[in-house]
Amino acid sequence: MTQIAKQPRLGWTNGRPYSTYPKGHPHQGKREYFPTRDQDEAVLLHAQWWAQIVLQATGGEVPTDTLPQSAAAGIREIVDLYLSAIEMEYSRNEHKNHRLDLHKLCTHLGDAYPIDAVTDLTLEDFRTAQVKEGRTVGVINKRTNRIRQFYRWAAKRGHVGREVSSLLAEIKPLKVNKKSCVAPVRHMGAVSWEDAKQLFPFVSPTIRAMITVQFWGGMRADEVCRLTPNQLRVDGTTWTYIPDEHKTDSHGRPLVKILPEPARMALVPYLEHVTGDEYIFTPKRSWTEWKSERGRKVARKTRKYPSEGRLNAKRSFKGRKFVDRYTSDTYAQAINYGHARAKKWGENIPKWTSHQLRGGMATLVDKHLGADAARAWLGHSDVAVTEGYIHRETETLVQHLADLE
């Protein structure tokens, strides 16, 4: 600020004191919330805040006696002030994330640990402890960013020197290939073919076919949802799946998969009704098949009159709109509905998701043909990625090698 503006007033909102940065300040128009609800303390903090702005505008140094007395306090006390200050700036969920991550840091260092004693090595030790707890790289990096954000806030208000905040800002994000601190492989979980088949009575024939093709083809959920006849190459008993686009397409790696006999048998009835780029599995056909199959299973005790049949025919698609294909979310939702029906009818079926089908096939291939074969089956370039899908301890996945063809 080149000119000293008039001191803004002290305001209150929801019981919290605040003031607004004056005209000409880099944060002009933004509010500064003070971490207190006491009126006398709010007046004092407001005066100290304005004194710092005036001294910075005139090129003077901020005297240490004008800073809050909590500057030399332990890290827990400053964290509490920070959480109170940002309460109105973030959503409830994001504020909760800040609170949990900073309390993790306080637990690791100790509540009375001096806030200005934290260095880049301290933060490295904290990240290493998170790795040992089994946290993923993404979670650790997000926690590190929130801690650095907390220190920027503390440095801005004089609780800690700016050199500490600058030192922490130089720490690079954690990467998986960093040998000194490697995050553990995150296992996706695996479901055996026997467990997957237990869900078939509670889902439509279309969903059964999708589960079969995804499992035996080692596909991702989105790949089986986007499956079209043009993506299949048929040469006698050899069926090859070559998608137009896939997850690793941007890396220049083609994806080619051979479909075993169970997947081919599940696709045959659906290929008779679609051609070209039409989606093989559609919600409309799934709904029709499910209603038709359910109607045959219900043992009626009363006569079905012709008028009832005509009325049901009118109601079949009245007001019901179907999308062209399943998405990974709606496909997972259909599987969840099947688990809910099984539970409602008293069947104890292991709960699994569509993402675990790839893990089941990877484990099966790994057991009979080795990890490299499982890597090729899933379309990975590195066997270390495939390790996250393989569960060698799952005995229920043992089947005869002939099933793989």
Side-chain angles (χ1 to χ4, degrees), residues 244-378:
D244 300 330
E245 57 183 22
H246 53 91
K247 182 178 179 180
T248 58
D249 193 21
S250 59
H251 300 284
R253 293 195 296 267
L255 180 62
V256 180
K257 295 183 179 181
I258 305 298
L259 299 182
E261 183 180 0
R264 300 197 302 265
M265 298 299 294
L267 284 170
V268 168
Y270 295 87
L271 292 176
E272 299 174 355
H273 305 281
V274 292
T275 58
D277 291 327
E278 296 179 355
Y279 295 111
I280 296 178
F281 303 113
T282 61
K284 183 176 181 179
R285 177 165 182 174
S286 175
W287 186 85
T288 305
E289 290 177 339
W290 172 251
K291 290 296 183 181
S292 176
E293 187 177 77
R294 186 184 178 190
R296 290 195 301 267
K297 288 182 179 180
V298 176
R300 293 184 55 132
K301 296 182 179 180
T302 59
R303 175 187 173 187
K304 185 175 181 179
Y305 291 92
S307 59
E308 183 181 354
R310 292 192 296 269
L311 182 60
N312 289 338
K314 293 181 180 179
R315 289 175 176 174
S316 295
F317 298 102
K318 183 178 181 181
R320 185 180 294 273
K321 297 181 180 179
F322 296 94
V323 294
D324 294 336
R325 66 173 181 87
Y326 280 98
T327 64
S328 56
D329 291 335
T330 54
Y331 174 41
Q333 191 177 37
I335 293 177
N336 289 335
Y337 284 157
H339 284 291
R341 293 188 190 102
K343 183 178 180 180
K344 182 179 179 181
W345 295 346
E347 296 291 338
N348 187 17
I349 296 178
K351 187 71 179 292
W352 50 270
T353 66
S354 58
H355 301 293
Q356 293 176 283
L357 294 171
R358 271 167 62 84
M361 189 58 184
T363 306
L364 185 60
V365 176
D366 170 70
K367 185 169 185 66
H368 295 295
L369 304 177
D372 189 66
R375 175 201 61 77
W377 200 282
L378 296 188

Side-chain angles (χ1 to χ4, degrees), residues 111-127:
D111 294 347
Y113 192 88
I115 185 175
D116 54 358
V118 174
T119 64
D120 54 343
L121 296 179
T122 308
L123 195 55
E124 287 281 2
D125 293 340
F126 174 72
R127 296 201 306 184

Side-chain angles (χ1 to χ4, degrees), residues 82 90 94-102 146 149:
Y82 172 70
Y90 293 98
E94 183 62 20
H95 185 271
K96 175 185 176 182
N97 292 336
H98 279 265
R99 175 172 55 82
L100 294 177
D101 293 346
L102 292 174
R146 292 188 181 107
Q149 185 175 349

